[in-house]
Amino acid sequence: MKRSSSPPALARDRLLQLTEAMRGRRIVVAGDLILDRYLIGDADRLSPEAPVPVVTVRERREALGGAANVAANVQAIGADCVLVGVVGDDAHGRALRQELVTHQIDDRHLVTVPDRPTTSKTRVLARGQQVVRLDDEESGPLDEALAANLIAGVEQALAGADALLLEDYNKGVLTEPVITATVAAAAKRGLPIIVDPKFRHFFAYGGATVFKPNRGELESALGASSHIPSIAREVFDVSGAGDTVTAWVGTALAAGAGVREAASLGNFAAGIEVGKVGVATVSPREVMALHEERFDQLGKLRREGLI
């Protein structure tokens, strides 16, 4: 019995054209910045104090999360990213800024708030499995003065931009006044606006070009209307997959892709990202390699008469 299979939505030449056009685009990313921390080790015994594993830490590392991870993915694509967000005046804030330097992301539009902790997620991993996650955050909304500073930063960053990406993790940065002002500023310039929302401000993003909630939030509010199957080869860790999709969809639209083309690119990138440990970036070379792999698989199925 033959089984149905659909080819990658983009032809190879079109994929090459788009990835080349994405290079050098100026993308503004605004939203909740997160420092992802990883404590990695072994767990060979239970604690005598409680029935929990004792993890002997062998490795520590830090990575950009939330809107900062979107920015890192934009840079990995080859575009130029301008990041706008909030950090605390603390060790995690300094570590996040250092990660931005490592990824060559400009931090001039970050707003430092002395009495607000930098949002961080600390994951404890033992033998490749997550044991526990510790979150350090203040998710209350920014006050009016801080919101005004953030809006001013976005408006400055939008000069010469090709797209605006808003990454909302419900950490209090993207308040309704900030959302309204930034969407209006981008719309005035005719820019694509890509939104990765959380439910708190679900209906505040009127005017967005692409609205990218997760499936549960979408079905709860509206019901789903179209489905593009995922193409992950092996799922290891879904952390940051949504950030990767936001970056690829937004940068593709900035380069002239249609919405479905951009969604297909985002699916390819996410399929690669979930095969990596922790939050990670995805390069055009990796997307092209997966695209070629899919075409090779389809060719084999056709030769065997299975499709």
Side-chain angles (χ1 to χ4, degrees):
M1 178 183 296
K2 290 187 177 182
R3 62 181 181 180
S4 63
S5 180
S6 57
L10 293 173
R12 184 177 188 277
D13 288 348
R14 180 58 172 161
L15 179 58
L16 285 171
Q17 181 186 43
L18 285 174
T19 53
E20 183 60 31
M22 290 161 74
R23 296 182 60 83
R25 296 289 175 174
R26 180 179 170 88
I27 310 297
V28 176
V29 177
D32 295 301
L33 311 183
I34 299 173
L35 179 69
D36 280 303
R37 305 176 66 243
Y38 297 88
L39 304 180
I40 305 167
D42 301 316
D44 298 317
R45 60 191 176 95
L46 294 178
S47 170
E49 303 161 359
V52 295
V54 175
V55 179
T56 303
V57 177
R58 307 293 187 191
E59 179 186 353
R60 294 173 172 83
R61 64 184 180 89
E62 295 168 336
L64 297 173
N69 185 38
V70 176
N73 271 277
V74 169
Q75 289 289 119
I77 291 168
D80 294 324
C81 184
V82 183
L83 182 62
V84 186
V86 169
V87 294
D89 186 11
D90 53 20
H92 288 170
R94 290 186 287 275
L96 191 148
R97 286 183 182 273
Q98 183 55 53
E99 287 295 320
L100 293 177
V101 171
T102 300
H103 287 83
Q104 298 182 319
I105 300 170
D106 194 336
D107 68 352
R108 75 179 71 181
H109 295 295
L110 299 194
V111 177
T112 300
V113 185
D115 59 350
R116 188 181 183 99
T118 302
T119 301
S120 67
K121 298 178 182 180
T122 302
R123 297 174 176 89
V124 180
L125 306 176
R127 296 186 176 181
Q129 299 296 317
Q130 185 174 153
V131 176
V132 68
R133 193 183 88 185
L134 310 175
D135 290 4
D136 187 5
E137 65 184 34
E138 168 55 60
S139 59
L142 298 179
D143 62 35
E144 290 185 8
L146 289 172
N149 288 342
L150 198 72
I151 292 168
V154 173
E155 290 177 340
Q156 292 171 14
L158 285 174
D162 296 301
L164 170 66
L165 281 54
L166 296 176
E167 187 72 20
D168 190 349
Y169 272 77
N170 276 353
K171 306 304 180 187
V173 171
L174 291 177
T175 60
E176 289 201 20
V178 172
I179 293 166
T180 301
T182 55
V183 168
K188 184 178 179 180
R189 293 170 169 81
L191 303 179
I193 303 165
I194 295 80
V195 176
D196 191 359
K198 287 292 185 287
F199 198 81
R200 185 183 298 171
H201 301 301
F202 203 79
F203 295 103
Y205 291 100
T209 308
V210 172
F211 189 67
K212 195 192 73 61
N214 67 37
R215 180 174 178 175
E217 291 168 340
L218 180 65
E219 290 180 342
S220 175
L222 303 172
S225 61
S226 181
H227 179 236
I228 299 175
S230 62
I231 53 173
R233 292 162 294 179
E234 181 178 356
V235 177
F236 187 87
D237 187 341
V238 299
S239 301
D243 303 335
T244 298
V245 173
T246 301
W248 275 83
V249 169
T251 309
L253 289 174
V259 172
R260 287 192 66 85
E261 288 180 322
S264 294
L265 274 171
N267 255 353
F268 274 108
I272 296 164
E273 199 278 342
V274 297
K276 300 182 179 184
V277 179
V279 296
T281 61
V282 175
S283 71
R285 180 178 296 179
E286 290 174 302
V287 168
M288 180 59 69
L290 179 55
H291 188 273
E292 294 293 299
E293 178 185 317
R294 284 292 176 259
F295 264 112
D296 289 344
Q297 290 175 348
L298 288 168
K300 181 179 179 181
L301 290 172
R302 289 192 182 99
R303 289 192 298 272
E304 294 174 353
L306 296 176
I307 58 173

